Amino acid sequence: LESSLLTQPWTSVCFGKSTFLAKACFKDSGYILLISDLSSVWYESTNPEVVGQRSKELNKRLTVHVSSLLRHLSRLMSPLLAGEPNATTSFSCHHVAGGLSLHIKSELSGLPFYWDFHCCPAPPEMVSRHLLRPLIQMSLALRYQVQELTSLLLQKDAEIEDYRESGATLSR
């Protein structure tokens, strides 16, 4: 799951007045969610057994196969992560002792559906792999682009000066 999460982009999400960066990956083998307020980074990674147990605790009247539940969670989170939250789904976020809790309220098959993501602090290696290294690589790539553009501008300036010296009149 975590290697699949590396290919997911970070997106800006808002819960009330708080803005976060988040990314997630849902598969039949579970899900992984990574969320950051740029001061801290939290994550939750689960397997089908945890998903099934949590569903029984939060949705007592709902009986659904775990793979269907994971697909439903993915459908609920996808619009949020695409910057187009669904009006029928509500999200709330709360800081809890040592972590972050993300609560979802929606419907599944006409019944109320609730879900809680219980996120704990992400280990330093995960923060480095998913946030720091990509940011540093992007910074280096942008720096290289600036150097290339500066070089092109200097070449163009030299061409313009060469035209002037050869007696050409420039319109601009």
Side-chain angles (χ1 to χ4, degrees):
L1 277 173
E2 191 178 340
S3 61
S4 296
L5 186 64
L6 278 169
T7 64
Q8 300 300 313
W10 285 97
T11 56
S12 180
V13 295
C14 293
F15 305 115
K17 295 180 181 179
S18 301
T19 301
F20 295 88
L21 291 177
K23 62 181 184 170
C25 181
F26 294 86
K27 294 193 176 197
D28 286 342
S29 59
Y31 68 79
I32 185 167
L33 169 71
L34 199 54
I35 187 165
S36 175
D37 62 1
L38 295 182
S39 292
S40 300
V41 180
W42 302 272
Y43 84 107
E44 182 181 38
S45 181
T46 63
N47 58 41
E49 292 77 28
V50 171
V51 171
Q53 181 62 34
R54 190 172 303 163
S55 177
K56 288 176 187 174
E57 293 169 5
L58 295 171
N59 303 288
K60 293 181 182 9
R61 294 178 22 199
L62 190 65
T63 303
V64 64
H65 192 270
V66 172
S67 61
S68 298
L69 181 63
L70 285 163
R71 282 191 297 277
H72 182 67
L73 283 170
S74 179
R75 283 191 300 271
L76 291 176
M77 291 296 288
S78 291
L80 176 74
L81 294 173
E84 305 160 359
N86 186 337
T88 62
T89 305
S90 69
F91 293 89
S92 60
C93 187
H94 308 284
H95 289 275
V96 293
L100 190 76
S101 177
L102 175 59
H103 182 73
I104 299 176
K105 182 179 179 183
S106 185
E107 281 190 4
L108 178 59
S109 301
L111 293 172
F113 175 77
Y114 304 97
W115 192 260
D116 290 329
F117 293 96
H118 302 291
C119 302
C120 62
E125 176 55 34
M126 181 182 267
V127 174
S128 176
R129 190 171 39 258
H130 289 275
L131 192 63
L132 296 177
R133 288 180 198 158
L135 286 172
I136 290 170
Q137 289 170 343
M138 182 58 67
S139 176
L140 290 172
L142 290 172
R143 188 169 141 205
Y144 176 75
Q145 284 182 341
V146 166
Q147 289 172 344
E148 289 292 310
L149 290 171
T150 302
S151 174
L152 283 173
L153 284 173
L154 290 173
Q155 288 174 6
K156 291 295 178 185
D157 286 347
E159 285 179 30
I160 291 170
E161 188 58 35
D162 188 42
Y163 287 140
R164 280 192 180 131
E165 288 175 356
S166 65
T169 57
L170 303 173
S171 62
R172 291 187 182 183

